Amino acid sequence: MPTYTAQALVLHRRSLGEHDRILTLFTKEHGKISAVAKGSQRTTSRLVGATEPFTHVRLLLATARSLDIITQCEIVNAYPALRTDIERLSRAAYICDLLDAFSHPHDASSSEAVFELTCAALFLLTQPSAWLDSIIHAYDIRLLEILGYAPALEYCAHCGEPLQEPPFGFSPAAGGALCAPCRHTSLDVFPLPADTLIALQTLRTAPPEALLHYLPPKTVVSSIERALRSFIRFRAERPLHTVEFLDSLRIARN
């Protein structure tokens, strides 16, 4: 069988019979693919560690008629710091869930940029930070931007004019933020405070070090979450189940 190599992040896994697993992988070279890790449910298998979600691996795969088969693997980064902290673990799982929801199988058009962005986000989650959600919300915006789905945050989604004078609105159906004259043009519009718009713009452009120290007021945090969650819910092709778990952690923490 022909073989090929790939750098990959494990997004999800599911059992195939008693001994094997099917992995959903996002690869740097080929985009999202599925592959079989034979024997990986056996505790003695050399593939056990490589099938853990959000593990960065180098793979050798054999092309098969249906699902390709992993024949060799090397773990590049298992992000162990994420696996001992439920807050960080849940956000890493969310990142994988979001990427899975918005990526299409074998679409390599922007796979390298998406792969590098995702690895950077997972690394940032291992670092001390003022507000962990700054990393996932920045990832929300930047992933959607690379894939061509990003919400309008600098210009009105309806008329295209720069967003300068409040009051602003936000409409998932219209495509993002709306200027004052256009904020009544969509049925799903809700108010977008000026400080929230600035925060969203900051999350879109801030360098990694700045994200680790970024902590907006609580009122802005809730408004950011409302805007991005409603936008992602409107654009995604399926529900993100990790959102419910994140919510339960936030409720328990507060």
Side-chain angles (χ1 to χ4, degrees):
M1 292 185 291
T3 60
Y4 63 97
T5 59
Q7 285 198 66
L9 288 165
V10 180
L11 302 184
H12 297 291
R13 66 183 184 181
R14 65 182 190 272
S15 296
L16 178 64
E18 294 183 2
H19 305 299
D20 307 335
R21 286 190 175 105
I22 297 176
L23 305 185
T24 301
L25 305 165
F26 191 89
T27 70
K28 184 176 183 178
E29 301 86 356
H30 314 287
K32 185 168 70 173
I33 64 172
S34 295
V36 176
K38 288 187 174 294
S40 59
Q41 292 197 69
R42 294 190 176 101
T43 56
T44 56
S45 171
R46 56 188 171 81
L47 295 178
V48 169
T51 65
E52 292 290 331
F54 55 85
T55 300
H56 177 185
V57 290
R58 289 192 184 95
L59 301 174
L60 179 66
L61 300 104
T63 303
R65 182 173 298 177
S66 54
L67 291 172
D68 293 348
I69 300 169
I70 297 170
T71 59
Q72 294 180 29
C73 71
E74 174 191 358
I75 296 176
V76 178
N77 195 339
Y79 301 103
L82 302 182
R83 302 180 190 277
T84 57
D85 183 329
I86 190 63
E87 296 283 352
R88 298 175 192 276
L89 176 68
S90 61
R91 285 159 176 81
Y94 169 82
I95 283 174
C96 291
D97 200 15
L98 184 73
L99 178 52
D100 187 29
F102 278 91
S103 55
H104 300 286
H106 303 286
D107 180 3
S109 56
S110 54
S111 59
E112 183 172 356
V114 170
F115 185 86
E116 296 295 346
L117 175 72
T118 308
C119 287
L122 292 172
F123 172 75
L124 286 177
L125 282 178
T126 68
Q127 304 302 300
S129 61
W131 179 44
L132 276 176
D133 287 341
S134 67
I135 298 164
I136 63 169
H137 291 325
Y139 182 79
D140 288 336
I141 298 169
R142 299 178 198 205
L143 175 67
L144 295 178
E145 191 168 48
I146 292 172
L147 298 178
Y149 300 110
L153 297 174
E154 307 289 341
Y155 298 88
C156 175
H158 183 73
C159 71
E161 291 296 315
L163 295 166
Q164 296 177 333
E165 296 295 329
F168 304 116
F170 193 91
S171 165
L178 298 171
C179 65
C182 295
R183 63 193 174 95
H184 301 297
T185 57
S186 296
L187 294 176
D188 66 339
V189 70
F190 54 86
L192 184 69
D195 52 1
T196 301
L197 178 61
I198 292 170
L200 288 167
Q201 293 169 343
T202 299
L203 290 169
R204 175 179 170 267
T205 60
E209 184 66 24
L211 287 175
L212 293 176
H213 298 286
Y214 185 59
L215 180 61
K218 286 186 176 181
T219 54
V220 175
V221 166
S222 61
S223 189
I224 289 170
E225 290 175 353
R226 181 184 183 187
L228 290 177
R229 182 173 301 182
S230 64
F231 188 84
I232 289 169
R233 186 186 302 118
F234 182 83
R235 297 289 173 179
E237 296 182 356
R238 63 167 178 80
L240 299 181
H241 301 296
T242 49
V243 169
E244 297 177 6
F245 185 59
L246 276 174
D247 283 346
S248 67
L249 288 177
R250 290 176 181 132
I251 292 170
R253 185 174 64 249
N254 295 330

